[in-house]
Amino acid sequence: MSEKKRKPWDFRRFITTLNDFELIPFISDLQKRFKKNNRISPKQKNSTMGMILVTGATGGVGKRVVARLLSQNYHVRALVRDKEAAKSLFDERVELVQGDVTRPETLTPRLLDNVSAVISCVGTRVQPVEGDTPNRDKYYQGTKFYMPQVVDSPQEVEYLGMKNLTEKVKKYIRSDTKLLFDFTHPTEQIKDTWGAVDDVVMGGVSESSIRLEQNKAVFSGNVSTANNGGFASVRTKNLTPPLDLSHYEGIELRVQGDGKRYKFIIRCEGKWDGVGYSYSFDTFNNTPTTVRIPFSELIPVFRAKTVPEMGNFDPSCVYSMQLMQTKFEYDGALNPKFSPGLFRLEVTSIKAYGGSANTPQFILISSAGVTRPGRSDLNLEEQPPAVKMNDKLGGILTWKLKGEEVLRESGLNYTIIRPCALTEKPGNKALIFEQGDNLKGQVSREAIADLCLQVLRWPEACQKTFEVCEDEKPDKGQTKQAIAALETD
Ligand SMILES: NC(=O)c1ccc[n+]([C@@H]2O[C@H](COP(=O)([O-])OP(=O)(O)OC[C@H]3O[C@@H](n4cnc5c(N)ncnc54)[C@H](OP(=O)(O)O)[C@@H]3O)[C@@H](O)[C@H]2O)c1
């Protein structure tokens, strides 16, 4: 094209693009300083650790689990029986959903959608018998001495509650996919993460945008080949921290297009103009399609030139993703489905697929002693109060065991933790793990919360049930080996 025919280039849009992606640190920084309310609210904080549902979140262990999840950047959803009361216990990052495990109608999609694991700290409420005082030395519950009584029915809470919850969790929990961008629920974070990068960065005049509509993101615009241009795209800012998708096989897009061919580009380095890994996919006019992009089929490219010497894509550190409408295929070849002008690609979700869920999806805080009531090899008098008083407490341990059985048969990846008497002491002691339900002792609620966070990431904790109490010795970081050495159920 001769200089005469060159279309005017929009320098302002060029600067805006660079600035949106914080490539002009000075301007971006100034804008951040002067923009009102520019503080990223905790809710918008980029979290890549998945959504964890905590039930019994208002309890002694539950509260500690929530605090630890937040400090490790997980999204946390909490099932609470009284949402108003719970507001004062948690900061605004916790998504509170009102419900009750004994009422299945309250265990809604809103509670379970997008959850990657559940930590259940629910327990039947136990309180002193009316007229009793905490000083009467009858029953040790870790914090108080008293003659206890159950408030609710253990059969309902520990057994039917588990049945209700696991049935719903099985339906919603996704073991093989990880939802990376859910455009059906547009958030400020998604809005802030994605932005347009068009050929204006190379002198072209194409224009595009990503718009978040009610149930989808719409990548649309106008591609022009003027000024040797011919592409429009939308891209994420660098994800912090980068995503680790090494347990997955590829990326799955749910899209509805216009019959054109698009590119999906993903980067495992943080450079703005570095090497990307690209995959071209065709769309069908107004027909929703699922596009699966195996990591092994991604082509390393620098702009539209292939760079095979860069080797395979590394899914363990994913920095950014991009969707592109372009005239160019690779190495000078042209996109066979390209025509300049308007285009439109609707995107519902971007997921990682092909993951084998190899870590626990459901962690249950049960109790030591659940198999002991009625066991003929034991002298009841030597047993902890909860075992001795099982009948008086509505068969609480018996129903906890039945709840465990429901989980063991659920088909979910689970870990069942059976603590001995819970205390409010600091959790800095080494832990003793046993199987067979003979262990006696105490363990801090702090330590149990720490343990939940650890096993959440450990494949070696799956399909295991074990008792736990504290040793006298300080913790020396041997927990993982100890859990790995336990038998699976
Ligand atoms: N105490 C011990 O020495 C000991 C020993 C071994 C094991 N355990 C077990 O360890 C677990 C955690 O103990 P903890 O001391 O953290 O218990 P906790 O303080 O009594 O907390 C129990 C939690 O369960 C919730 N809950 C009760 N019924 C519910 C229902 N129907 N639906 C939804 N949530 C319900 C409570 O919510 P609300 O706030 O609405 O009441 C509370 O958040 C419990 O299962 C307990 O039985 C205790």
Side-chain angles (χ1 to χ4, degrees), residues 55-63 79-82 99-103 120-126 140-142 152 156-158 365-368 396 400 418-424 445:
T55 62
T58 52
V61 174
K63 274 187 288 198
L79 175 74
V80 293
R81 290 196 287 185
D82 182 342
D100 184 321
V101 293
T102 64
R103 291 172 43 222
S120 170
C121 310
V122 168
T124 311
R125 264 182 60 205
V126 179
Y140 184 54
Q141 267 280 337
D152 305 310
E156 299 250 324
V157 178
E158 312 284 351
I365 310 300
S366 176
S367 178
I396 189 166
K400 271 191 192 291
R418 293 172 168 175
C420 291
L422 291 171
T423 73
E424 294 287 306
R445 287 183 171 87

Side-chain angles (χ1 to χ4, degrees), residues 227-242:
N227 302 3
N228 294 325
F231 76 83
S233 79
V234 285
R235 175 175 171 166
T236 63
K237 287 179 185 162
N238 276 345
L239 305 167
T240 45

Side-chain angles (χ1 to χ4, degrees), residues 364-395:
L364 171 63
I365 310 300
S366 176
S367 178
V370 288
T371 68
R372 290 181 221 179
R375 236 171 73 183
S376 56
D377 60 324
L378 300 175
N379 178 354
L380 200 61
E381 285 317 302
E382 291 167 8
Q383 289 303 312
V387 179
K388 283 193 253 182
M389 301 185 74
N390 185 52
D391 288 346
K392 279 190 195 132
L393 293 175

Side-chain angles (χ1 to χ4, degrees), residues 103-336:
R103 291 172 43 222
E105 71 281 6
T106 65
L107 309 176
T108 57
R110 160 88 186 75
L111 176 73
L112 293 155
D113 203 21
N114 206 7
V115 164
S116 54
V118 179
I119 303 180
S120 170
C121 310
V122 168
T124 311
R125 264 182 60 205
V126 179
Q127 68 177 26
V129 169
E130 216 169 306
D132 198 7
T133 68
N135 310 324
R136 289 167 63 182
D137 188 345
K138 287 172 189 151
Y139 180 80
Y140 184 54
Q141 267 280 337
T143 51
K144 292 173 189 159
F145 291 86
Y146 56 122
M147 179 60 80
Q149 64 182 2
V150 288
V151 179
D152 305 310
S153 147
Q155 179 180 5
E156 299 250 324
V157 178
E158 312 284 351
Y159 170 58
L160 295 173
M162 271 301 287
K163 240 176 143 176
N164 295 335
L165 190 59
T166 48
E167 256 158 45
K168 294 286 170 81
V169 168
K170 275 194 295 187
K171 274 195 203 152
Y172 285 90
I173 211 154
R174 299 298 302 264
S175 53
D176 57 339
T177 59
K178 179 181 170 100
L179 192 55
L180 305 174
F181 290 102
D182 177 9
F183 297 111
T184 62
H185 293 102
T187 59
E188 280 304 310
Q189 186 189 330
I190 291 184
K191 229 191 228 169
D192 187 51
T193 303
W194 286 84
V197 183
D198 301 324
D199 57 14
V200 67
V201 293
M202 328 277 259
V205 297
S206 302
E207 249 183 284
S208 75
S209 67
I210 186 160
R211 223 176 37 253
L212 297 179
E213 294 190 353
Q214 209 180 9
N215 278 316
K216 56 188 176 250
V218 180
F219 165 42
S220 63
N222 193 344
V223 184
S224 162
T225 53
N227 302 3
N228 294 325
F231 76 83
S233 79
V234 285
R235 175 175 171 166
T236 63
K237 287 179 185 162
N238 276 345
L239 305 167
T240 45
L243 294 172
D244 179 0
L245 301 181
S246 50
H247 291 302
Y248 296 86
E249 282 172 30
I251 296 287
E252 182 183 291
L253 310 175
R254 185 78 185 143
V255 295
Q256 177 164 310
D258 49 6
K260 295 191 171 185
R261 176 174 292 188
Y262 291 81
K263 276 182 186 173
F264 174 79
I265 301 166
I266 184 163
R267 289 178 173 75
C268 49
E269 61 174 22
K271 275 191 214 156
W272 166 253
D273 192 21
V275 173
Y277 286 76
S278 176
Y279 183 91
S280 301
F281 62 94
D282 292 331
T283 62
F284 307 93
N285 212 354
N286 289 329
T287 311
T289 349
T290 299
V291 181
R292 283 203 157 184
I293 305 170
F295 291 137
S296 58
E297 290 183 26
L298 287 163
I299 301 170
V301 291
F302 178 69
R303 298 177 188 168
K305 186 178 169 316
T306 59
V307 282
E309 64 278 15
M310 292 311 295
N312 290 340
F313 177 68
D314 173 7
S316 71
C317 53
V318 174
Y319 278 92
S320 65
M321 295 176 209
Q322 188 169 12
L323 286 161
M324 186 179 274
Q325 171 55 214
T326 173
K327 171 183 159 184
F328 309 101
E329 197 69 359
Y330 305 107
D331 298 327
L334 295 178
N335 173 355

